[in-house]
């Protein structure tokens, strides 16, 4: 009941458990209990909820650590550590430039003076020197050049990472690459059409019959395809499903339901229930 009432995106993340005899014994102990629940299952979604609840029970029995914050369904947007370090350097340099500029403008508050002394620590520069204003200007220019260099480094690293990801997507998933290269859609800023105009627009497209003038090439293609034997319909048997589950890696990243292949292999009654759902026998 807990699993069925929880949305898929709010389910806890199931951890990887050790392949020990004790853990396997706990999984086998739940198999007889699952028979009653699976026999009363009405569809595949309910079967998935039952299996996830059984996996959650196993994790709690063996004392595995569960995440209560839910699972993220999108891609990770974490900023790389190298970029965080460079951005922190830029922020500190900009803050120091502001303090030095304030001191050059005549602000002699103790906090500002202390920061200026720390900026020239380890050098022979003293605040009582007659050319202190020139030293401040040189220090500010040096910090600005460093900020510009750090900014160029971020852009260079970002462009390199983008090229690497695009090359990887081109080899593995070209559709995803081309979709990422598309420009964002710009929504209209005009007035929203009323219901009557919307109905009339779509009715003119879908309700009125249209006579298309087929070109002569369609007859040529039809004559060439007349002698082609149609492909036999693909039939997925329960054995195909069981074989696919058996060959799948145990801890491969799960789908939206959060159920790894390990649990599909470990819960034996799942195989018989899959056969019933696949063949349509209740």
């Amino acid at each position: 009941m807990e699993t069925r009432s929880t949305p898929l995106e709010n389910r806890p993340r199931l951890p990887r458990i050790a392949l020990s005899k004790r853990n396997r014994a706990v999984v086998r102990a739940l198999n007889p209990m699952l028979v009653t629940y699976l026999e009363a299952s009405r569809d595949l979604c309910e079967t998935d909820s039952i299996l996830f609840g059984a996996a959650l029970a196993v994790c709690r029995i063996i004392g595995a650590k569960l995440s209560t914050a839910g699972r993220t369904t999108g891609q990770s947007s974490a900023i790389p550590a190298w970029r965080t370090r460079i951005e922190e350097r830029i922020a500190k340099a900009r803050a120091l430039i502001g303090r030095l500029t304030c001191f050059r403008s005549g602000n002699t508050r103790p906090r500002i003076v202390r920061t200026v002394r720390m900026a020239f620590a380890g050098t022979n520069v003293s605040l009582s020197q007659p050319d202190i204003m020139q030293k401040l200007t040189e220090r500010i220019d040096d910090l600005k050049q460093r900020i510009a260099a750090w900014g160029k480094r971020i852009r260079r690293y970002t462009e390199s990472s983008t090229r690497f990801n695009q090359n990887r997507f081109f080899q593995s998933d070209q559709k995803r690459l081309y979709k990422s290269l598309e420009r964002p859609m710009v929504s209209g800023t005009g007035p929203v059409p009323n219901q009557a105009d919307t109905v009339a627009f779509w009715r003119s497209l879908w309700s009125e019959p249209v006579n298309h003038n087929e070109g002569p090439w369609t007859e040529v293609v039809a004559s060439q395809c007349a002698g082609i034997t149609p492909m036999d319909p693909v039939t997925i048997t329960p054995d195909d499903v069981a074989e696919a589950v058996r060959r799948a890696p145990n801890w491969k990243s799960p789908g939206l339901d959060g159920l790894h292949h390990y649990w599909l292999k470990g819960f034996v009654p799942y195989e018989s229930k899959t056969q019933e759902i696949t063949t349509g026998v209740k």
Side-chain angles (χ1 to χ4, degrees):
M1 295 301 297
E2 176 187 351
T3 307
R4 293 175 184 175
S5 60
T6 304
L8 293 179
E9 61 273 9
N10 293 339
R11 286 182 177 180
R13 185 186 299 273
L14 295 177
R16 297 184 179 184
I17 63 175
L19 303 178
S20 61
K21 293 182 178 180
R22 174 179 175 271
N23 294 343
R24 292 179 181 177
V26 175
V27 174
R28 286 195 299 266
L30 263 68
N31 282 329
M33 308 177 190
L34 288 177
V35 176
T36 305
Y37 293 97
L38 292 175
E39 288 180 351
S41 176
R42 295 168 295 181
D43 52 22
L44 191 58
C45 294
E46 190 171 351
T47 302
D48 177 80
S49 299
I50 296 172
L51 295 177
F52 188 89
L56 188 63
V58 172
C59 294
R60 290 175 177 174
I61 292 173
I62 65 177
K65 186 177 180 180
L66 294 171
S67 175
T68 58
R71 298 175 293 111
T72 56
T73 57
Q75 297 180 355
S76 175
S77 59
I79 301 177
W82 60 265
R83 181 165 182 168
T84 302
R85 291 193 297 267
I86 296 177
E87 290 179 350
E88 290 177 355
R89 296 175 188 173
I90 293 176
K92 292 180 180 179
R94 287 176 176 173
L96 183 56
I97 289 175
R99 299 287 178 86
L100 296 177
T101 304
C102 290
F103 183 80
R104 189 175 59 180
S105 302
N107 191 338
T108 58
R109 289 184 300 177
R111 185 177 180 181
I112 300 297
V113 175
R114 184 169 59 253
T115 304
V116 175
R117 289 177 178 175
M118 292 176 59
F120 290 104
T123 63
N124 295 326
V125 178
S126 175
L127 300 184
S128 60
Q129 292 181 357
D131 59 344
I132 186 60
M133 294 301 172
Q134 181 181 357
K135 297 296 183 180
L136 288 172
T137 303
E138 293 176 356
R139 181 61 173 166
I140 292 174
D141 293 340
D142 178 68
L143 291 174
K144 289 182 178 179
Q145 292 178 7
R146 291 188 179 185
I147 291 175
W150 289 332
K152 291 181 180 179
R153 184 181 300 178
I154 290 178
R155 289 192 295 269
R156 185 172 66 252
Y157 288 173
T158 303
E159 293 174 357
S160 176
S161 177
T162 302
R163 290 194 299 268
F164 174 80
N165 291 331
Q166 289 179 351
N167 292 333
R168 181 168 57 89
F169 288 153
F170 184 81
Q171 297 293 335
S172 60
D173 192 351
Q174 296 183 8
K175 180 179 179 181
R176 184 178 178 182
L177 170 63
Y178 296 139
K179 188 175 181 179
S180 64
L181 296 177
E182 293 179 356
R183 295 182 178 179
M185 298 291 293
V186 180
S187 59
T189 57
V192 179
N194 54 28
Q195 182 178 1
D197 295 339
T198 304
V199 172
F201 174 79
W202 289 108
R203 182 171 293 171
S204 64
L205 295 178
W206 297 103
S207 299
E208 297 180 3
V210 179
N211 296 324
H212 298 281
N213 295 326
E214 302 291 348
W217 62 271
T218 57
E219 299 179 358
V220 177
V221 174
S223 61
Q224 292 177 352
C225 297
I228 299 177
T229 303
M231 186 180 65
D232 297 334
V234 178
T235 303
I236 301 177
T237 63
D239 294 336
D240 297 334
V241 177
E243 183 65 17
V245 173
R246 188 185 65 84
R247 291 179 175 272
N250 287 338
W251 302 111
K252 186 178 180 181
S253 180
L256 185 61
D257 59 350
L259 201 62
H260 298 87
H261 292 132
Y262 171 82
W263 306 107
L264 303 183
K265 298 177 183 179
F267 296 136
V268 178
Y270 166 75
E271 182 178 355
S272 60
K273 188 62 182 178
T274 304
Q275 294 179 358
E276 293 181 3
I277 294 176
T278 306
T279 57
V281 178
K282 184 63 177 177

